[in-house]
Each structure stands twice: as C-alpha cells, then as structure tokens.
Amino acid sequence: MAMDYKGPIEYSIELAVEKICDLLKASYFISKRSVALLLLQDDEEIREIVRKNESDTIDDIQKVVKEAKAHFANPITYELALERQNEVRLIIEKAVKIKKETIELRERLSRLTMNPITGIPILLLVLYWGLYKFVGQFGAGTVVNFLEGTIFEKYLNPFFIKAAAHIVPWRILRELLVGEYGVITLGLRYAVALILPIVTFFFIVFSIIEDTGYLPRLAMLIDRTFKKIGLSGRAVIPMVLGFGCATMATMVTRTLPTKRERIIATILLSLAIPCSAQMGVILALLGGNPKAMLIWAGIVGLIFLFVGYLTSKILPGERPSFYMEVPPLRMPSISNVITKTFARVKWYFIEILPLFLLASIFIWLGVLSHLFDFMVNLLKKPVELIGLPAEASKAFLFGFFRRDYGAAGLYDLNKHGLLNGVQLVVSCVALTLFLPCIAQFLMNVKERGWKTGLGISVFILFFSFSVAFVVNFILTRLGVIL
Amino acid sequence: MLTDREEEILEALWGELVEKKNQSCDISVLKDDDIIKRLSDLDYVEIRNSQIKLTNKGREEAKNCVRRHRLAERLFVDVLDIKKRLVHEASCKFEHLLHKGLDENVCILLGHPRTCPHGRPIPEGDCCKDVKRVPKKIIMLLSELELNKKATISHLEAQNQAMLQKIIAIGALPNTGIRLIQKFPSFVFQVGKSQFAVDKELASCIYVRLD
C-alpha cells in the first residue's frame, strides 16, 4: 500500500523524499522511495550503502535529510509512525467491528503464568513433566536404550563390522570406519541412536511449549534475573534449548540481537547448562543421593549467575533491552507440532551430523597417534588435584568425545566403590562445567570464530577444574559426608 | 515586571549562553535597542564591548522564562492536543501568563516533564525537586499507572533512537489506549488487541494520560 506522508504545510516528508529520489543515481535492491524514507529515518545500514554508491551527491542528500529533520519536532521515524498509525486507524474504523472484551478463562490462565507467585510453580511443573519425565526418562532413557542397545549394538554394528572385514583390507582404514571409535560404529550411532531421539523428543516438547505461547511468558518472568547477567529475557529460548543440546542451543544464539549477548550466552551454555546427555549421567550418579544432588544444583546455579555477572561486567557494549509480544495462550495443534519438529530435527541433523563424523575422525587420529594416552596422563594430575582417583582422567577425556563412555567410566569407578559422596559431587560439578562434547566445541568455533571459540573453551577447561578443586577443598575441610 | 519582548530576549540568551555554552553573545546590531538597555538597567544582563552576558539575576529569570515556555508547549501538545506547527506560536503567547506559582501547577499537572516536545530540556523548578508533594497527576509515567486502569499514551520520551524504534515497533504510539496488566517482574501492558512485555527502561519511555 502506498500512502502520502503529510507533515507541516510548508515542508512535507514527501517533498524531502522527492528531493532525495532525484539525487539517488545508483540502483538499489529496493525502490528509491524506500531508500529515501530509510535515509530520513537515520538507518545506518542504508546510509553506508548510499555513501558508497553516491559519491557525487551524498553531500546534497545529507543536506536534504538535515533540512527535513529541522522541520520536525520529533525524529522522522516517530513522525512517520504517527502518520501510518492514523492511516491504519482510518482503515480499521471503516472495515473492522470490535466486540466488547471480557476477561475470559484464557486471560486468567495467562495472568497465572505471568504472576511470579503462581508462575514459578507452573514453570517447575512444565520442567518436571516436559523435560525430566518426557525427554529425560522416556526419550533419553527408554527410546535411546532400544535404538542404541538393540538396533545398533545387536544388528547394525555387527553387520557393518562384518561387511567391512570383507570389503576393506587395511586394518587402519577399517578402524576408521567400524572400529571402537569408527565413523559408522561411533559417529553415526551416536548421532542417530543417541542424539536424534533425545533431540526429537526435546523438540516435540519445545514445539508444544512454543505453540501454547508460554515462552514469552517465561521470558518476562526471567528478564530481571537475566539482565543481571548481561542477557535479556529473550535469551531464555537458547537457554531452555541448552537443556536439550547445548550445541544446538549455541546455534540458536543467532537469534540474540547483539554480539555481546551472543558471547555471554555461548559461554553460559558451554559452562553451566547441562545438556540432556550430561543430565542423564548426573541423574544416574546422584539420583540416590538427594543431598549431593542439591549441592550440585546449588553450585552449578551459582556458577551460572556468577560467571554471567562477571562476563557482563567485563564485556563492553550496551545493556540489552527487553520487549516481546505476549500472544494469547493457545491450544497447540498436533499437525503444527509435527511439522515444526520434523523441520527442526532435519535442520539440526544436517548441521550436527558432520560434526559427529568429524569427532570420530579426531578420536581415530588421537588413538592412532597415541596422543590420547599422552593426554590421559596429562589429565591425571588435575584429576588428582580435585580429589578424584587418577583413573577418572580417562573418563573426562573420552567423555569429551563420547559421553556414554565417559559416563560408563564414572559408573565403573562408582560401582567399585572408588568414589565417595564428596567425590561424586566434585566429579559431577567438573563434568557439568567441562565442555559438554567436541561438537559443542566445534560449534563454538563455528559460531563465534576461532579466537573467541577457542578462548571460551580454554577458559572453561581451567575454570571447571578450579571450581571442582575449590568445591573438593571446602567439602573435605568441612568434613562433609554425603 | 518584564514585557513579553524582554522575556523572549532572555530566553534567546539562555539558549545561546547556557545551552550552547557560548561565552558571550555579540549584539553590535542591537546596541542601541531600548529593550537591551532596559534589561541592562534592571541588572539582568551585562554588556561589555558589544558582548552580552547574563547576570546571576538574569540567569535565574531566563531559566524561568524558558521553563514556562517549554512547559506551555508540553501542555499544548500533551493535554490540549494542538498540532505541532501551531505549538510554538501558541506557547509564545501563553508562557507569559504562567507566572510564579502557575508554572508549578502546570508542571505538577504534567508529571514534571523533562523535555519539551522538540526534545529540549525543561529547566527544573522547585516542584520537581520535591516530587512527593505531587497531588493527583494527569500525565504520568506508564510505570506509575495503577494496574488495569485504562489510559491513553500521551507521548514518548526515549533516551535514544533505538529505544524509540522498539516502542514504535510495538505500536505504543500517542493517542493509543493502554492498560497496564503487570509491573513485576516485567511490565506487561495491553495496547489495542495485543499484549507486550517490556523491561523497566522501555516502560519509562512511555507517558500516559488517565482516561
């Protein structure tokens, strides 16, 4: 729709637009009129483009913009918005009839979710049933056990191993494909049997939550807290996704408006948000020990806020501002949820699968070159420093590449009675803060660039061990027995 | 009592000397003007080598004149809804009626606005320093509005263009009805048929008038 902008009689916005259009010589991807209107509204991107394209007339153009601004009391953006609003109002008056509104059930429910007193219990319920029960226990437990334990371990892996033995004559290449850390036996299995179901279940819950319109309500509940750590309520979306898969959530930080927020979110996701795979391990290790679980949750929560607060103080840039539409609560439609989940899983898989395959190549190289033995030895010292038996170093290194292996390592240690309650808490804290997996590391590098991505990872490596050291020191000194 | 012309000269001097921070103003053209002479005789201004400066007394008077003028502008735009291009003219006449005491009432009525509709600062009066004395206000910050009371947005005052653009994007524009639904932990309000959640900073850009 085209409309004429009015303004004072002696000088209209239209006049300025016409003058600028005459001065624009180059051709643009949008109409000259739009370029002129954007220039009048101080759009920086378009100003730079015009500056480059109109070297002859740029001074005259700027003169017109200045002249136009001088004729208006408010910024031109504001003037234009007012005129558009008037136009809209005229159309609506003619075309729309509005029924008298009443506060209905939906609105009551909406207020309950936004009031902190009722909203926080509702949030806990959503987390418990949606994330813990459905994604955690059913998706990451039952379904993964079936896919991984039965389909892959019993049928697919033996088949591929046999096939490779016939077709590929070189042992080293065979190792790469179907060895203990092979591209098929580890990379593909990990991606298809472990990550895919967890993420699919997570996306189902996420799509349902999203379609009910709950997320903006969560965002408004949490905005104040997030402001303290340099984020706005908007960041709640990647943070919630982080409980599913931190790698995917890091990808979603693209939706945050400033670079500063994206960096803070990436750090927090890598550091203090346990992904569903980590949660699985931690629940299994601490499940029978509520006191230890509480201490773990408290420490990780504190670290989340503390590191967020520090980075927001250190990183330069403006405070984020928060504004979000709160749509009415709606009943999600099943077909929408399915379509969305499917599209997301597909998109996620295309982005993630190569990373997992790459990870198995890295492990293959690491084992082949004995680099891993070297690194396990290197890790022994810090592992002992945080009060764990030296054997745990293998669990940490392999856990980085292969979560189930790392977990299994800790399970075994635990089963043999090598870990006491304090050591369990310490190892869980270290495991949570530690980079979740190599895919996350690669994603950090991909999204934030080499320098920042590597910097974040090195920081986390030292920080996670330091925190574990301090926790171990304090708990041991206090003589806590868990 | 100063004449209208004299007050306007003082206002112009306030703009040049205080707001633009010029050391002094050249008035060689106006040297023999009666008004300047009278202002000088009344000890409002000091003239040396065709350069004019405000005395302390003049400064105080100029500040009050500017305050009255800009308050008048706010009154016309926010309450009386006079079109912008008429505002200056009308305010020029009206400001001279707003003498001591009256300007305070208008200021209180408007909720101690910080800027005129053209974005220039309104000098603070005694009433602004002591906001507790405020009786029932007509124009107030959105954050001061009672929950679920119907109001109309009177104007926007953003610290920067980016914030203004966000509020415009929401559609919280002057003369639109607004109802505050919640204040904590974030501000939730209804504009038209939609609800929005914003933080305190953005909510403080919106001024409303009770219906």
Side-chain angles (χ1 to χ4, degrees):
Chain A
M1 191 193 79
M3 60 178 273
D4 288 337
Y5 295 104
K6 295 168 200 80
I9 293 167
E10 70 273 23
Y11 194 96
S12 71
I13 295 176
E14 280 307 322
L15 187 66
V17 169
E18 256 172 55
K19 280 187 186 171
I20 295 174
C21 282
D22 287 341
L23 290 166
L24 290 171
K25 302 294 178 222
S27 70
Y28 296 86
F29 50 94
I30 47 175
S31 71
K32 284 188 176 174
R33 182 183 165 80
S34 310
V35 174
L37 282 169
L38 284 169
L39 282 171
L40 287 169
Q41 295 176 75
D42 278 331
D43 186 285
E44 275 174 31
E45 210 180 318
I46 213 81
R47 199 161 51 200
E48 280 316 302
I49 296 172
V50 170
R51 198 191 299 278
K52 264 182 216 144
N53 286 329
E54 312 282 350
S55 43
D56 297 339
T57 53
I58 183 72
D59 292 338
D60 294 332
I61 292 174
Q62 275 169 340
K63 217 177 275 167
V64 177
V65 172
K66 215 171 161 189
E67 182 183 277
K69 280 191 197 159
H71 277 85
F72 292 91
N74 294 304
I76 295 199
T77 322
Y78 190 63
E79 299 285 349
L80 288 178
L82 285 178
E83 289 205 28
R84 282 181 192 139
Q85 185 203 26
N86 271 335
E87 197 79 17
V88 168
R89 198 171 284 153
L90 288 177
I91 296 172
I92 286 181
E93 270 169 21
K94 277 185 228 153
V96 182
K97 262 189 201 151
I98 295 169
K99 267 196 222 155
K100 224 179 157 238
E101 58 183 312
T102 47
I103 295 186
E104 45 186 335
L105 179 70
R106 174 196 304 219
E107 182 61 26
R108 288 226 177 88
L109 199 62
S110 160
R111 306 245 170 129
L112 287 181
T113 61
M114 292 195 290
N115 185 336
I117 297 166
T118 44
I120 290 167
I122 292 175
L123 170 64
L124 293 179
L125 273 179
V126 169
L127 289 179
Y128 179 76
W129 282 103
L131 283 187
Y132 181 75
K133 281 283 177 192
F134 188 66
V135 180
Q137 288 195 337
F138 183 64
T142 318
V143 177
V144 166
N145 282 347
F146 171 73
L147 279 178
E148 202 182 17
T150 313
I151 306 271
F152 264 86
E153 300 280 339
K154 277 211 180 109
Y155 302 103
L156 290 180
N157 279 359
F159 169 77
F160 281 120
I161 290 168
K162 238 187 228 163
H166 283 290
I167 302 165
V168 186
W170 306 282
R171 194 185 61 84
I172 290 179
L173 199 60
R174 233 173 19 235
E175 282 285 311
L176 174 65
L177 290 175
V178 297
E180 197 183 350
Y181 314 104
V183 172
I184 295 173
T185 39
L186 173 75
L188 194 67
R189 176 172 62 89
Y190 203 71
V192 173
L194 195 79
I195 299 300
L196 184 66
I198 295 179
V199 163
T200 307
F201 278 93
F202 183 82
F203 273 137
I204 292 173
V205 173
F206 190 76
S207 303
I208 292 173
I209 292 179
E210 189 185 27
D211 279 13
T212 54
Y214 183 63
L215 284 175
R217 290 168 171 81
L218 185 54
M220 65 94 22
L221 271 183
I222 217 150
D223 178 60
R224 246 168 217 271
T225 315
F226 270 23
K227 283 278 168 59
K228 304 242 176 354
I229 57 173
L231 296 171
S232 84
R234 241 166 229 275
V236 83
I237 294 168
M239 290 300 157
V240 170
L241 276 172
F243 284 104
C245 171
T247 310
M248 160 186 75
T250 306
M251 215 148 60
V252 174
T253 57
R254 287 176 201 167
T255 59
L256 298 179
T258 65
K259 196 179 161 199
R260 179 172 183 259
E261 286 168 78
R262 288 194 287 268
I263 292 179
I264 294 177
T266 306
I267 292 176
L268 292 176
L269 282 168
S270 309
L271 186 69
I273 303 272
C275 69
S276 49
Q278 281 177 314
M279 280 294 241
V281 179
I282 287 153
L283 289 178
L285 284 171
L286 299 179
N289 196 338
K291 241 202 306 187
M293 182 98 110
L294 218 63
I295 294 180
W296 166 80
I299 292 169
V300 173
L302 270 181
I303 295 290
F304 178 85
L305 294 177
F306 175 70
V307 170
Y309 178 76
L310 273 191
T311 34
S312 76
K313 290 276 167 229
I314 293 166
L315 283 178
E318 257 175 63
R319 262 169 69 90
S321 66
F322 172 67
Y323 69 110
M324 215 171 189
E325 181 166 6
V326 183
L329 284 177
R330 289 201 176 89
M331 202 63 184
S333 97
I334 296 173
S335 66
N336 269 353
V337 170
I338 293 173
T339 320
K340 270 182 174 177
T341 306
F342 179 73
R344 280 177 178 152
V345 169
K346 193 172 128 193
W347 162 77
Y348 170 71
F349 214 59
I350 291 170
E351 296 250 1
I352 291 285
L353 186 65
L355 296 185
F356 277 104
L357 300 183
L358 206 59
S360 15
I361 296 179
F362 278 150
I363 300 183
W364 175 71
L365 283 173
V367 172
L368 203 69
S369 60
H370 297 288
L371 188 67
F372 271 27
D373 293 337
F374 173 73
M375 282 168 82
V376 167
N377 279 324
L378 211 67
L379 269 176
K380 270 188 184 152
K381 197 78 206 144
V383 165
E384 274 174 349
L385 264 178
I386 63 174
L388 298 179
E391 288 83 350
S393 71
K394 203 171 171 193
F396 275 102
L397 181 69
F398 279 61
F400 177 61
F401 291 99
R402 190 179 150 183
R403 173 76 39 221
D404 50 339
Y405 196 97
L410 283 181
Y411 285 141
D412 283 348
L413 291 176
N414 192 24
K415 231 191 284 172
H416 293 125
L418 286 172
L419 296 174
N420 59 30
V422 172
Q423 285 176 323
L424 266 180
V425 170
V426 171
S427 55
C428 282
V429 166
L431 198 74
T432 311
L433 298 183
F434 205 60
L435 267 192
C437 65
I438 187 164
Q440 162 92 63
F441 168 73
L442 293 173
M443 187 55 80
N444 282 355
V445 168
K446 189 177 162 203
E447 289 292 311
R448 300 286 90 84
W450 265 108
K451 243 166 72 189
T452 316
L454 203 65
I456 289 175
S457 307
V458 170
F459 161 73
I460 287 173
L461 185 68
F462 284 100
F463 188 76
S464 57
F465 274 98
S466 314
V467 171
F469 178 78
V470 173
V471 170
N472 179 52
F473 183 79
I474 292 174
L475 290 180
T476 321
R477 268 297 155 92
L478 289 176
V480 176
I481 293 167
L482 295 165
Chain B
M1 184 90 178
L2 294 172
T3 64
D4 295 359
R5 263 306 269 155
E6 287 160 356
E7 290 196 345
E8 266 148 38
I9 298 274
L10 283 179
E11 276 176 50
L13 286 173
W14 174 269
E16 287 299 316
L17 299 174
V18 179
E19 287 177 350
K20 290 191 188 151
K21 296 201 171 81
N22 291 326
Q23 283 300 316
S24 59
C25 240
D26 186 57
I27 49 151
S28 32
V29 208
L30 293 167
K31 219 184 327 184
D32 301 319
D33 195 293
D34 286 345
I35 300 176
I36 302 281
K37 260 194 193 138
R38 201 171 112 82
L39 282 174
S40 170
D41 291 345
L42 286 170
D43 195 26
Y44 285 114
V45 297
E46 217 178 82
I47 302 166
R48 214 171 278 161
N49 306 332
S50 301
Q51 297 291 317
I52 191 166
K53 281 183 176 174
L54 283 166
T55 61
N56 280 344
K57 184 182 166 196
R59 209 180 154 89
E60 189 58 28
E61 192 56 40
K63 187 182 101 175
N64 287 329
C65 292
V66 168
R67 179 172 149 77
R68 287 195 291 267
H69 180 89
R70 294 183 185 165
L71 278 173
E73 288 182 331
R74 266 276 163 240
L75 182 69
F76 284 128
V77 173
D78 298 344
V79 181
L80 307 179
D81 196 23
I82 290 183
K83 291 281 161 279
K84 288 261 159 61
R85 66 169 176 281
L86 297 173
V87 166
H88 186 76
E89 226 173 288
S91 317
C92 280
K93 290 184 187 137
F94 192 75
E95 59 168 298
H96 306 295
L97 303 172
L98 281 182
H99 274 286
K100 197 64 192 159
L102 214 53
D103 63 323
E104 245 176 50
N105 286 353
V106 170
C107 186
I108 290 167
L109 179 83
L110 296 173
H112 309 282
R114 287 163 289 178
T115 58
C116 78
H118 307 86
R120 289 186 295 257
I122 299 176
E124 260 187 12
D126 293 336
C127 63
C128 308
K129 288 164 189 151
D130 169 25
V131 184
K132 275 179 209 137
R133 268 181 39 209
V134 178
K136 204 174 166 221
K137 280 186 240 163
I138 292 185
I139 302 281
M140 61 185 107
L141 276 169
L142 174 64
S143 52
E144 296 167 329
L145 189 63
E146 254 176 83
L147 290 185
N148 295 314
K149 272 258 165 69
K150 281 198 175 160
T152 305
I153 298 173
S154 72
H155 64 286
L156 307 176
E157 270 187 48
Q159 292 160 18
N160 55 50
Q161 180 94 353
M163 286 172 99
L164 183 65
Q165 249 151 10
K166 281 168 191 160
I167 298 169
I168 289 174
I170 284 174
L173 288 164
N175 295 324
T176 318
I178 190 167
R179 195 160 47 93
L180 196 59
I181 294 173
Q182 199 173 323
K183 289 187 185 187
F184 184 87
S186 302
F187 287 87
V188 180
F189 55 79
Q190 176 141 6
V191 171
K193 296 270 114 189
S194 316
Q195 291 184 2
F196 295 93
V198 303
D199 56 23
K200 197 169 161 238
E201 286 74 24
L202 282 176
S204 317
C205 296
I206 303 174
Y207 281 73
V208 298
R209 170 170 71 223
L210 272 178
D211 283 357

